[in-house]
Each structure stands twice: as structure tokens, then as C-alpha cells.
Amino acid sequence: AGFSVAVVDAQPGIPVAPSGPFELRVSAITRAAEALLTHVKVWDSMSEMRRQSFESMRVWDAGSSGELQFDAADIGEPHLGTMVENSALTSALVAVLSEFAAPQFSWRRGAVLESLHVEDDGVIARVSGEVMRAHLVVGADGADSKVRELRDLPTRRRDYQQAGLVAT
């Protein structure tokens, strides 16, 4: 109430939940995030076949004997979290937001952030030629962030020499 949200997404087209081979890009969703997504009617709209809960996790350091193990049973929960294909989650979010939040919500697909200027009363962004004004910009655009580049925000990168494995 009283504000609107625009998601600027460089990816073209409407995200579609996969029905073929499993997607390689997945996210680990915590139980707390599941509860939030359930509350806003997103969780149940995702196909159960495109998500998989996990009950335990083992983390170890290949260079030493250090190891951690987590198990849902130890905390009295049915599972620790759920692995979800990114396109399935994005599809469900877009469907629910489009249904319940229009016209306060818009998803600008295939859009490019061209400029970003901070002023005393907010932010002015040029998105694929269109000027947009906002009080808040969230740069959730990954390692090669255009938001960070345009605002010349410093970053530090450090290779932790770690790897993760998720299998389907």
C-alpha cells in the first residue's frame, strides 16, 4: 500500500518452470524461507517434482580433518531445507506477484540498467531508455553487478578454495 515494485531483469521472456531435464541452477531454501513463501502463496504453486528437501548436510575441509554434520532429526524438524530449481522459483514468484500485486508490481523482462543517479530525494535510473524514479534500489544482480559498477562500489574478492556439490 502506497508503494510499487519494479523488478528489472536482463533475462528475456517469462520464466517457465522446467518440465524436461533438471536445471543446473538451484537454490537452497531454508525452513524459514519456506514458511515465508508458503505464507505469500508461492510455495504451493511450485511443482513438487521440481524441488527436493534435504534432511542432512555434511561439510568438511579437504585439507584437514575438520568436519561438520547437520541433521534435521537433531533439531526435531522433518528436513533442514529444500533445493529448488531457480526457474521454478522465479516462475512461481512471477505468477503470484502478477496475480495479487498488479498494478503495484511490474517485471521488466529483457531490460537493461543503463544509468543510476542518486539524488537527495531518491534515485533516478534509466532502464532500456525509460527513466524510472525510486526511493530504494536493491542490486541483487550477481557477481558482475551492474548496480555496483554504475555506483562505483568497491568490492573485495577472495578465493576460499572451496566447492559444493548438489546432485539430482
Side-chain angles (χ1 to χ4, degrees):
F3 68 92
S4 61
V5 174
V7 175
V8 176
D9 190 346
Q11 297 297 316
I14 298 170
V16 177
S19 58
F22 286 99
E23 181 182 12
L24 297 177
R25 293 193 65 205
V26 297
S27 294
I29 307 298
T30 65
R31 300 266 301 149
E34 286 178 28
L36 174 66
L37 291 169
T38 298
H39 179 74
V40 297
K41 313 274 190 250
V42 170
W43 194 251
D44 293 335
S45 70
M46 288 187 294
S47 169
E48 296 236 358
M49 296 181 67
R50 303 316 282 203
R51 63 185 191 204
Q52 179 62 51
S53 61
F54 56 93
E55 293 78 33
S56 64
M57 181 183 297
R58 184 174 160 208
V59 181
W60 65 95
D61 182 355
S64 72
S65 60
E67 179 178 316
L68 293 172
Q69 196 154 349
F70 303 95
D71 196 301
D74 293 342
I75 58 171
E77 293 290 340
H79 62 279
L80 294 174
T82 303
M83 301 305 294
V84 178
E85 292 176 73
N86 285 6
S87 62
L89 180 57
T90 303
S91 263
L93 284 166
V94 169
V96 170
L97 285 169
S98 296
E99 181 179 346
F100 294 108
Q104 294 89 3
F105 167 77
S106 66
W107 195 289
R108 311 289 172 95
R109 296 172 195 87
V112 176
L113 178 62
E114 298 165 343
S115 65
L116 192 61
H117 300 284
V118 177
E119 298 187 343
D120 289 340
D121 62 340
V123 179
I124 299 175
R126 181 173 294 278
V127 177
S128 294
E130 177 186 354
V131 174
M132 300 175 73
R133 293 187 143 288
H135 293 289
L136 174 68
V137 171
V138 176
D141 51 346
D144 295 321
S145 172
K146 186 69 172 179
V147 171
R148 186 174 59 237
E149 174 191 323
L150 289 171
R151 293 297 304 142
D152 198 26
L153 298 172
T155 184
R156 291 183 303 187
R157 294 182 188 216
R158 182 169 64 183
D159 185 354
Y160 288 98
Q161 299 181 353
Q162 296 175 344
L165 175 65
V166 176
T168 57

